[in-house]
Amino acid sequence: MSVLIKDVVSHIKTKSVLKNDSAFIDNVSIDSRSPQNNASTLFFALVGPNHDAHIYLLDLINKGVSYFVVHYIPEELKNKAHFIVVENTLAALQEFASYYRGLFRFPVIGITGSNGKTIVKEWLNFLLSPDYNIIRSPKSYNSQVGVPLSVIAINEFHNFGIFEAGISTVGEMEHLQEILKPTIGILTNIGSAHDEGFRDISQKIKEKLKLFTEVDVLILNKNKTIEAFLAKEIKTFTWSTQDRSANVFFQIREYESNSDLNITFNQLCFKVSIPFTDDASIENAIHCICTMLYLNYSQEVIQQRISDLYPVEMRLKVKNGIYNCTLIDDSYSSDFQSLKIALDYLENQKQHKKRSLIISDIFQSGLTDEELYSRIAQLIITHKINRVFCIGATISKFKSKFLNATSYDSTDEFITSFESIDFSNETILIKGSRQFEFEKIVSFLEEKTHETVLEINLNAISHNLNYFRSKLQSKTKLMAMVKAFGYGSGSFEIAKLLSHHKVDYLGVAFADEGIELKKAGIETPIMVMNPEMTSFDAIIQYNLEPEIYSFRGLKAFLKIADAKKLVKYPIHIKLNTGMNRLGFDTAMLPELVEILKSTKRLEIKSILSHLASSDITEHRDFTLKQIADFERDSSFLMKELNISTIRHICNTSGISNYPEAQFDMVRLGIGLYGVANEAHEQMYLENVGTLKSVISQIRVIQAGESVGYVRRFVADKPTKVATIPIGYADGISRKWGRGVGYLLVNGQKAPIIGSICMDMLMIDVTNINCVEGSEVIVFGKDLTVSIIAEAIETIPYEILTGISARVSRIFYRD
């Protein structure tokens, strides 16, 4: 990209005149953290319900960024940079992307639908890339922000585009159509995703079809309901497994590990085999076949390429590696745009100072090899990569451009040399094209754990955080609770994410949790909610802030503070307003005031209390009395001590049910992790943790045979039994066994039979299509911890925090 600022200004709705508009920009950014921000960057300061990028402008100016698109100019920054003032910075970004898209004339596929968009896009890229230089949406960049960023990545060498477009409510698709201007449309399907954003299914169909108002052709499953909403001038290319009047007719035969598709198209009749048996993959493959038929590919090419389709890994994962390494696994795709995204993600991993990059040949960049690897070399320098392992014949030719680079002709050659390479105490980004099979490298580098994993969706945590922030008054601060290993999810990665989102405090239960976060580089203030007196020295050493809830604890901390000659060390005073667990009672406050007045060693950073029943409607009067008592007692302390400090009493349910009690700060706990205490609120939260395992073994037992200890399940008919390597030592309650609970296998309920063992449990998979190695969901989006908790008469907190540390946590972003 190389665009004159004056061309940007002339194509967006500006409210001011830019004096210096003769400069060129070659990078557009919305991420203040990206090391790719430089003097040639145009930064769009996006504003949302819970974020405002204008607060980062000074940092960006100090990094050398000169040109900004803003909604307003902060008073202290006037004359320090070049500002383009607009009414709406997101609209300006979209207007610029629409202008930029218009500079290029080549076929563009636009894909929308409720499911399958990313898979179809990635498969089409694989199928068509031998014949075109393709630009495509990276990852799932299909939103109001993601689509313009995807389009802005087009360069003069591209000659084909594949982009996906997703919407969640009315009025969004028109903007995406203006940006993409697709010439070929694909409608994958209309399902239930984001139903809450539409009045009914008819409105949803109409909105999605707005992407295709100017296409040359729309590829879709023949459907009278959908076609009734299409404008007559839109040409369709339909397929069906039922209606032979469709342009392409498919007959499907499924086998154990693959499916045959018998295709009838015009005068052609031929068969294609795909390595999938599930309905979603078959439908996605059909859309790809129809696209190839429309583009006049021969049946021989279609047969050969379709048979090579592969499962798409749609997300970047963070994993524990050998010798205290952290792995960023992005080993299934390698193009320039996704490399930039992965490197920006690497930049946010502060656990290790040392960084390595394992990278394969890059394909489909649209650039010459010389220009491509020169740009990659610059990215590597910008992101402070310590060493680079180049794998592939092409990238190896350019290894001299990279600092501290080693080259290998193939993945196997790298693996052969593996023992001679020292990998330890570092972050390793693994970025490779699929044909290089970098999953082999991941296998060598990954810390060996058993096959049960807890996957943590970091995007979902961000969503849930922003949802609760939207309920807060503009000046209300937020403390995010990461105690109990992040409610079982893993505190370090989550703390990093929350620090990026600029939460005001992190809350932990005990000092050792806070110490680990500080050691890992977390700079956000950390409050220790239940400090043990034996930990006070360590709390001070690591600049943690203790909650003080008793005279015994206060006097012990003061003794240490006197010995260390501390001045105004931050502490937090806990009041008991009815929880009757920890805290100073009302009658204790005069004595507390006298002690605090007598010392300069301490500074009260906040006064807090804890609501006992904020989620129980029947206890509303009790909760209101707690709030009133807290108002009275905290006001007494502030008046007597002549201080103004932060006050907080609301937990997750308090945020939702008692907005009048936000005071100066709230504490967000279980809601951050996707669990609402109120049923009506659950629909607005996203699932964070998915506990999954695999089938170790399958056997068929006959009537009269038993399963497990004490023969607690006896079959009354032939039963197919699957053994899963997860048990009560991993945190699965024995109450969930013996027919009470179930797991999900291929989306179907598989009852747990017999007693849950220490390391294993058994399920009934009779009539479920599965094999040894098939994935099993223990809990997640469709089988929530709330469902399990209700069935075994406990609370979701216990389910989440009970997952054993031996279960590997894998963090990812969609």
Side-chain angles (χ1 to χ4, degrees):
M1 168 191 286
S2 183
V3 179
L4 274 170
I5 285 289
K6 67 179 181 181
D7 290 331
V8 177
V9 173
S10 65
H11 288 89
I12 63 178
K13 297 181 179 69
T14 62
K15 297 170 65 177
S16 63
V17 178
L18 191 66
K19 294 180 180 178
N20 182 6
D21 62 359
S22 59
F24 282 90
I25 58 115
D26 59 18
N27 179 44
V28 168
S29 176
I30 63 167
D31 186 353
S32 62
R33 302 164 297 166
S34 175
Q36 297 164 43
N37 295 323
N38 55 44
S40 299
T41 293
L42 177 62
F43 185 86
F44 285 78
L46 299 187
V47 179
N50 310 297
H51 66 271
D52 184 352
H54 292 76
I55 66 176
Y56 304 111
L57 297 185
L58 179 59
D59 291 342
L60 288 160
I61 291 170
N62 291 336
K63 292 177 182 177
V65 180
S66 300
Y67 287 90
F68 299 88
V69 178
V70 297
H71 176 57
Y72 61 91
I73 305 174
E75 191 65 33
E76 68 275 13
L77 300 184
K78 288 181 178 178
N79 303 318
K80 289 192 175 183
H82 305 288
F83 295 101
I84 305 169
V85 182
V86 299
E87 184 64 35
N88 184 311
T89 50
L90 173 58
L93 175 67
Q94 294 173 339
E95 289 160 1
F96 170 65
S98 179
Y99 152 71
Y100 188 74
R101 162 69 178 92
L103 300 177
F104 300 92
R105 298 286 185 268
F106 52 69
V108 168
I109 296 176
I111 308 169
T112 195
S114 297
N115 305 103
K117 297 183 291 294
T118 302
I119 300 291
V120 171
K121 177 200 68 185
E122 293 297 323
W123 279 355
L124 282 175
N125 175 70
F126 168 74
L127 295 166
L128 305 183
S129 59
D131 310 300
Y132 299 96
N133 284 326
I134 296 175
I135 175 71
R136 74 189 193 279
S137 314
K139 302 294 180 184
S140 298
Y141 271 39
N142 58 28
S143 66
Q144 298 292 301
V145 175
V147 168
L149 292 178
S150 300
V151 166
I152 289 167
I154 299 174
N155 66 47
E156 63 273 21
F157 295 99
H158 292 124
N159 58 13
F160 202 103
I162 309 174
F163 300 96
E164 54 179 296
I167 59 173
S168 57
T169 190
V170 296
E172 293 183 341
M173 192 61 88
E174 294 98 323
H175 302 302
L176 303 187
Q177 192 281 330
E178 274 295 312
I179 298 166
L180 291 177
K181 300 179 181 69
T183 57
I184 300 170
I186 298 176
L187 179 65
T188 57
N189 56 53
I190 300 291
S192 60
H194 301 296
D195 272 354
E196 65 276 7
F198 303 93
R199 182 181 63 248
D200 52 35
I201 190 66
S202 297
Q203 185 182 58
K204 189 175 190 179
I205 293 171
K206 288 179 182 178
E207 288 297 314
K208 288 190 178 289
L209 292 179
K210 289 178 180 178
L211 180 63
F212 309 123
T213 53
E214 298 179 25
V215 296
D216 297 330
V217 67
L218 170 59
I219 298 168
L220 76 162
N221 186 354
K222 189 169 182 60
N223 182 298
K224 290 181 180 179
T225 301
I226 294 174
E227 292 177 81
F229 291 103
L230 285 173
K232 293 181 180 179
E233 60 270 19
I234 296 179
K235 177 185 175 184
T236 60
F237 189 90
T238 60
W239 63 269
S240 180
T241 60
Q242 306 292 328
D243 188 344
R244 289 185 176 271
S245 68
N247 296 95
V248 190
F249 183 72
F250 290 85
Q251 292 176 298
I252 302 168
R253 177 169 291 180
E254 297 177 15
Y255 300 96
E256 185 170 317
S257 59
N258 68 291
S259 301
D260 285 346
L261 311 182
N262 292 293
I263 302 168
T264 303
F265 172 60
N266 291 339
Q267 304 304 313
L268 285 175
C269 292
F270 62 100
K271 182 175 73 174
V272 170
S273 292
I274 61 171
F276 303 96
T277 59
D278 61 289
D279 293 341
S281 295
I282 291 171
E283 184 173 293
N284 293 335
I286 286 174
H287 282 112
C288 294
I289 292 168
C290 288
T291 304
M292 297 182 79
L293 288 170
Y294 175 77
L295 293 172
N296 295 316
Y297 277 83
S298 69
Q299 70 177 63
E300 291 79 16
V301 171
I302 293 173
Q303 288 170 320
Q304 183 266 312
R305 294 185 187 176
I306 288 289
S307 66
D308 291 332
L309 288 179
Y310 55 91
V312 173
E313 188 62 63
M314 293 190 292
R315 58 205 187 196
L316 178 153
K317 293 182 177 180
V318 180
K319 303 176 177 179
N320 292 327
I322 59 175
Y323 304 123
N324 197 36
C325 290
T326 299
L327 308 184
I328 302 177
D329 180 5
D330 201 12
S331 59
Y332 288 88
S333 67
S334 187
D335 58 82
F336 185 69
Q337 191 65 12
S338 67
L339 175 62
K340 291 171 67 176
I341 294 169
L343 284 169
D344 274 353
Y345 187 80
L346 171 64
E347 182 66 22
N348 295 319
Q349 303 299 304
K350 305 294 186 183
Q351 191 170 5
H352 304 291
K353 292 182 179 179
K354 184 179 175 183
R355 300 171 178 175
S356 293
L357 170 64
I358 302 174
I359 183 171
S360 75
D361 287 347
I362 299 279
F363 302 115
Q364 308 154 31
S365 69
L367 304 171
T368 64
D369 287 344
E370 177 70 31
E371 185 174 2
L372 169 64
Y373 291 107
S374 294
R375 290 191 183 187
I376 291 174
Q378 186 57 50
L379 284 178
I380 289 170
I381 292 170
T382 301
H383 287 268
K384 299 181 175 64
I385 304 299
N386 299 96
R387 56 180 179 170
V388 182
F389 298 92
C390 307
I391 300 178
T394 305
I395 193 172
S396 294
K397 295 176 184 176
F398 297 92
K399 77 168 186 176
S400 60
K401 293 181 177 291
F402 310 136
L403 296 174
N404 195 16
T406 308
S407 64
Y408 305 87
D409 287 337
S410 66
T411 301
D412 288 339
E413 184 183 346
F414 172 83
I415 290 173
T416 300
S417 305
F418 183 80
E419 293 297 331
S420 64
I421 306 170
D422 176 27
F423 287 109
S424 61
N425 301 301
E426 61 188 293
T427 302
I428 307 168
L429 171 59
I430 304 165
K431 184 73 179 157
S433 297
R434 181 180 177 274
Q435 53 265 52
F436 283 88
E437 299 179 307
F438 270 20
E439 62 270 21
K440 295 178 181 177
I441 296 176
V442 174
S443 178
F444 270 86
L445 285 170
E446 189 174 3
E447 184 179 61
K448 299 302 180 283
T449 58
H450 69 102
E451 295 169 300
T452 298
V453 298
L454 179 60
E455 293 187 345
I456 308 299
N457 185 340
L458 296 176
N459 294 71
I461 291 178
S462 297
H463 168 87
N464 298 337
L465 172 66
N466 287 333
Y467 169 75
F468 283 101
R469 267 185 166 164
S470 70
K471 294 175 171 288
L472 304 183
Q473 299 166 18
S474 59
K475 294 183 179 180
T476 303
K477 300 178 185 295
L478 187 142
M479 176 187 291
M481 307 307 297
V482 292
K483 62 181 181 176
F485 198 44
Y487 285 73
S489 299
S491 53
F492 171 61
E493 288 289 340
I494 293 171
K496 280 191 301 182
L497 177 68
L498 295 170
S499 295
H500 162 65
H501 284 295
K502 295 190 178 297
V503 300
D504 299 281
Y505 266 93
L506 296 173
V508 298
F510 297 103
D512 55 350
E513 297 173 317
I515 290 169
E516 289 305 308
L517 295 180
K518 285 295 186 181
K519 283 182 176 179
I522 299 299
E523 297 178 355
T524 302
I526 298 174
M527 177 179 167
V528 183
M529 307 290 288
N530 187 23
E532 297 163 314
M533 286 186 287
T534 54
S535 68
F536 283 163
D537 276 312
I539 282 175
I540 293 168
Q541 180 184 349
Y542 287 94
N543 295 313
L544 303 173
E545 301 180 16
E547 173 189 293
I548 300 297
Y549 52 81
S550 69
F551 287 123
R552 179 168 172 260
L554 176 60
K555 292 173 182 177
F557 195 81
L558 266 174
K559 184 177 180 179
I560 296 174
D562 286 333
K564 294 181 179 292
K565 295 182 170 55
L566 302 179
V567 178
K568 290 188 174 182
Y569 193 89
I571 65 167
H572 303 260
I573 297 295
K574 177 73 169 284
L575 303 180
N576 176 35
T577 57
M579 184 78 165
N580 290 319
R581 189 173 62 178
L582 296 174
F584 292 96
D585 295 330
T586 303
M588 300 175 178
L589 297 187
E591 183 181 352
L592 176 62
V593 167
E594 291 305 312
I595 294 174
L596 292 173
K597 276 185 174 180
S598 68
T599 180
K600 301 292 184 184
R601 301 295 184 197
L602 308 178
E603 179 183 11
I604 300 176
K605 296 295 288 187
S606 82
I607 303 171
L608 68 147
S609 190
H610 202 104
L611 295 178
S613 293
S614 59
D615 57 329
I616 307 297
T617 305
E618 292 81 359
H619 296 169
R620 183 169 180 82
D621 288 344
F622 178 85
T623 302
L624 290 173
K625 184 179 185 304
Q626 275 198 280
I627 294 168
D629 289 350
F630 178 66
E631 168 66 40
R632 181 195 65 216
D633 289 355
S634 60
S635 295
F636 172 80
L637 281 180
M638 290 194 296
K639 180 181 178 181
E640 294 298 316
L641 295 171
N642 193 27
I643 60 173
S644 177
T645 191
I646 297 169
R647 295 187 292 174
H648 48 113
I649 192 172
C650 277
N651 50 15
T652 296
S653 292
I655 294 170
S656 298
N657 297 332
Y658 298 91
E660 71 277 14
Q662 289 180 12
F663 289 94
D664 305 291
M665 185 163 72
V666 297
R667 302 188 300 274
L668 178 59
I670 193 73
L672 186 65
Y673 303 94
V675 178
N677 290 318
E678 291 75 30
H680 71 275
E681 200 161 57
Q682 189 64 56
M683 64 183 292
Y684 299 109
L685 301 182
E686 293 187 359
N687 180 69
V688 170
T690 301
L691 182 60
K692 56 176 60 175
S693 191
V694 298
I695 294 175
S696 297
Q697 189 175 32
I698 293 176
R699 62 167 37 83
V700 175
I701 63 173
Q702 302 304 315
E705 291 189 273
S706 60
V707 172
Y709 288 118
V710 201
R711 303 189 68 213
R712 288 203 166 100
F713 174 82
V714 178
D716 58 5
K717 61 181 182 298
T719 303
K720 185 163 69 169
V721 179
T723 301
I724 316 300
I726 184 171
Y728 60 77
D730 300 293
I732 307 303
S733 172
R734 283 169 55 84
K735 294 180 181 179
W736 190 232
R738 300 179 64 182
V740 174
Y742 59 92
L743 309 186
L744 295 179
V745 181
N746 288 331
Q748 296 178 263
K749 293 182 179 180
I752 299 173
I753 55 178
S755 297
I756 292 176
C757 310
M758 179 182 287
D759 308 303
M760 287 172 278
L761 59 82
M762 286 68 74
I763 56 177
D764 181 353
V765 291
T766 308
N767 301 321
I768 297 178
N769 182 22
C770 58
V771 296
E772 292 178 359
S774 289
E775 183 178 87
V776 175
I777 303 298
V778 183
F779 64 67
K781 180 180 179 181
D782 298 315
L783 171 52
T784 66
V785 291
S786 297
I787 291 173
I788 298 172
E790 183 177 359
I792 63 175
E793 299 181 331
T794 185
I795 56 176
Y797 300 73
E798 185 175 347
I799 305 291
L800 287 173
T801 59
I803 302 305
S804 167
R806 78 177 186 177
V807 174
S808 178
R809 272 68 172 172
I810 295 178
F811 301 89
Y812 71 91
R813 295 178 185 271
D814 282 330

